[in-house]
Amino acid sequence: MRQPIKSWGNLGAVEHDVATPAFREDAAPLLSALVDKAGSVLAHGLGRSYGDSPLNAGGGLLVTRRMDRCHAFDTATGVLRADAGLSLADLHVITVPRGWFVAVTPGTKFVTLGGAVANDVHGKNHHVAGSFGHHVRALGLRRSDGTLVDCAPDRNADLFRATIGGLGLTGLIEWVEIQLQAIASSDMEVENIRFDHVDRFFDLAAESLDWPYSVAWVDCLSQGAALGRGIFSRGRHASAGPCVAQPAGSKLAVPLTPPVSLINGLSLRAFNAAYYNRPGATFTGRSHFDGFFYPLDGVHHWNRVYGPRGFYQYQCVVPPAVAREAVTELLARIAASGTGSCLVVLKNFGDIAPAGLLSFPMAGTTLALDFPNQGQRTLALMADLDRTVAAAGGRLYPAKDARMPADLFAAGYPAVVDFKRHIDPAFMSDFWRRMEQAPTKSEQA
């Protein structure tokens, strides 16, 4: 069936030939049929990637969300094997009441296991747990020639490392086996600390290494002595308490897309000031993990607030030796532009070897924020930020990207040379069309 599909950034719909297997067993024949009909194919989960990495304009899209069965769960060891279309939200329903939780989670639970692998998602605990791929024990990869390859760190290891963070380009991930972490409660012990300048973030992060989870919200419009002011949050799983997968309470929703973006300079300044000064900005206590890990999931279709033109997300990481200076410069440029986001995340990554060839996390500090799409003005600002990131020796996150220059990608991901050997020839994405002609460092020399 031919359908227009958007990514989470709502930058525009593109036409695809779409197939949605009802079960994992249906995936192989539908994959073959899509390749024959459309010439290329890409897996697509719950559509929470912001840019064009989950899109394959004019080609085939195999939607995996119904491939969601759990096949094995050892409640003694925390090893779980499930179809790649199982979401973290549904996984929690299975595992949390039994005292197990994912070892690494991104900022939304509406992501499939296959999507978590393909983007090698990271969370608030990278400094102690690495990325999602570090906890994948094995996966089943369907290639376009029909073969199903059993990949693991000790079996087809090269293809395994290429698939972790490989943006879905090495084939269709049919099933995933992961190691969960034991928890005694679904509650978190949380501390929120208000800070008045970005310098203080780095101090708080250094003081919080014994906390497994840490992250900061930043007021991206603050300037001068208050540049980068924000709220630092750190947390750990409670040592005792209930094990409830979903908290009580109703969910909010944005019912429709407004005719113009609700995110503008005036609304941003008002929101950021109110959020920074709210009573909960300083807090010590307990909360359900859902509020700590997934605050935005409490508002369904929150991406609609950016209006019909959508938005870009910009996420970079810069090395620790220059992180303080580079992040300060990035925030100063964003504040001076007068545009930005109420959803700004600042956190540190640990010095942990990447799980995959194209894994985004590296030792350093990562900054992520959303920009309403204002056309050339927004593109010019991000190009300006690119120069700071490149000069610092950093890189951007492909899962969030819709406009990264190919040379910045090549410079930030030198292992792309090795990765290209593992791409399935029938798999393609709009992101990769932009990147595949990027010269490598050796080719540039």
Side-chain angles (χ1 to χ4, degrees):
M1 184 193 311
R2 196 78 169 169
Q3 291 182 23
I5 303 291
K6 292 182 178 182
S7 67
W8 192 246
N10 281 338
L11 290 169
V14 290
E15 291 285 331
H16 297 82
D17 287 303
V18 177
T20 306
F23 299 100
R24 176 166 56 88
E25 291 79 5
D26 301 329
L30 284 176
L31 173 65
S32 179
L34 273 178
V35 173
D36 289 344
K37 181 180 181 181
S40 65
V41 69
L42 185 70
H44 187 92
L46 291 173
R48 289 303 180 105
S49 291
Y50 291 74
D52 57 2
S53 64
L55 303 177
N56 180 29
L61 212 61
L62 190 79
V63 178
T64 64
R65 64 190 62 170
R66 294 183 187 172
M67 298 164 46
D68 61 355
R69 289 177 299 179
C70 179
H71 293 275
F73 177 30
D74 188 331
T75 57
T77 64
V79 175
L80 177 141
R81 180 178 290 204
D83 289 345
L86 182 71
S87 71
L88 295 191
D90 290 336
L91 180 144
H92 293 334
V93 173
I94 299 167
T95 65
V96 170
R98 296 168 174 83
W100 295 95
F101 191 73
V102 284
V104 171
T105 180
T108 177
K109 60 182 178 289
F110 300 123
V111 59
T112 64
L113 291 181
V117 172
N119 294 289
D120 193 21
V121 297
H122 53 271
K124 299 174 175 67
N125 61 340
H126 184 272
H127 62 290
V128 296
S131 60
F132 191 88
H134 287 104
H135 306 276
V136 176
R137 292 166 49 96
L139 56 88
L141 188 70
R142 179 74 63 178
R143 304 281 277 185
S144 61
D145 63 5
T147 59
L148 181 64
V149 185
D150 182 1
C151 300
D154 60 352
R155 301 187 302 278
N156 299 299
D158 289 346
L159 186 56
F160 179 79
R161 287 201 69 225
T163 301
I164 301 293
L167 304 170
L169 297 170
T170 62
L172 171 67
I173 302 171
E174 288 196 0
W175 57 263
V176 182
E177 183 177 285
I178 58 173
Q179 176 65 60
L180 303 167
Q181 63 168 319
I183 57 171
S185 172
S186 53
D187 283 349
M188 304 290 295
E189 296 174 357
V190 179
E191 286 188 9
N192 291 343
I193 305 166
R194 188 186 285 121
F195 59 91
D196 59 6
H197 191 276
V198 67
D199 270 345
R200 183 61 180 142
F201 160 80
F202 290 95
D203 297 336
L204 286 167
E207 296 165 10
S208 304
L209 294 178
D210 57 337
W211 290 77
Y213 300 100
S214 62
V215 68
W217 167 87
V218 173
D219 179 357
C220 64
L221 295 184
S222 58
Q223 295 178 291
L227 178 70
R229 68 178 183 175
I231 300 165
F232 189 92
S233 297
R234 54 195 185 190
R236 57 170 62 97
H237 294 282
S239 58
C243 282
V244 180
Q246 296 175 331
S250 60
K251 300 291 186 181
L252 302 175
V254 180
L256 49 82
T257 301
V260 295
S261 174
L262 301 182
I263 308 300
N264 53 55
L266 186 62
S267 64
L268 271 176
R269 291 187 188 281
F271 174 88
N272 286 2
Y275 191 78
Y276 179 76
N277 291 295
R278 79 192 197 282
T282 56
F283 170 81
T284 300
R286 292 168 67 118
S287 70
H288 188 272
F289 72 77
D290 205 78
F292 181 77
F293 290 114
Y294 314 120
L296 284 177
D297 285 350
V299 182
H300 292 305
H301 303 297
W302 62 262
N303 59 332
R304 291 174 176 171
V305 302
Y306 288 92
R309 300 185 69 181
F311 67 100
Y312 292 91
Q313 179 157 115
Y314 190 93
Q315 183 164 9
C316 64
V317 58
V318 291
V322 296
R324 192 181 295 254
E325 295 78 9
V327 169
T328 299
E329 181 178 341
L330 289 168
L331 289 173
R333 291 179 182 275
I334 293 165
S337 76
T339 187
S341 171
C342 51
L343 311 171
V344 183
V345 175
L346 186 64
K347 61 188 175 185
N348 280 347
F349 289 146
D351 190 5
I352 298 174
L357 295 178
L358 297 187
S359 293
F360 167 67
M362 68 180 194
T365 302
T366 179
L367 174 68
L369 73 165
D370 301 336
F371 292 115
N373 178 18
Q374 298 176 341
Q376 189 55 44
R377 177 186 177 190
T378 308
L379 294 172
L381 171 60
M382 291 188 288
D384 191 28
L385 302 181
D386 288 346
R387 288 186 280 273
T388 298
V389 173
R395 59 190 179 210
L396 305 187
Y397 190 17
K400 306 286 185 72
D401 177 66
R403 38 63 58 197
M404 186 195 316
D407 58 349
L408 184 58
F409 173 74
Y413 294 89
V416 68
V417 180
D418 204 11
F419 172 76
K420 288 179 179 179
R421 299 188 296 110
H422 302 286
I423 295 175
D424 187 296
F427 279 72
M428 179 54 68
S429 71
D430 288 357
F431 172 85
W432 193 248
R433 286 188 182 94
R434 290 192 289 119
M435 298 301 133
E436 63 180 344
Q437 301 302 322
T440 65
K441 283 188 173 181
S442 60
E443 291 167 342
Q444 291 172 342

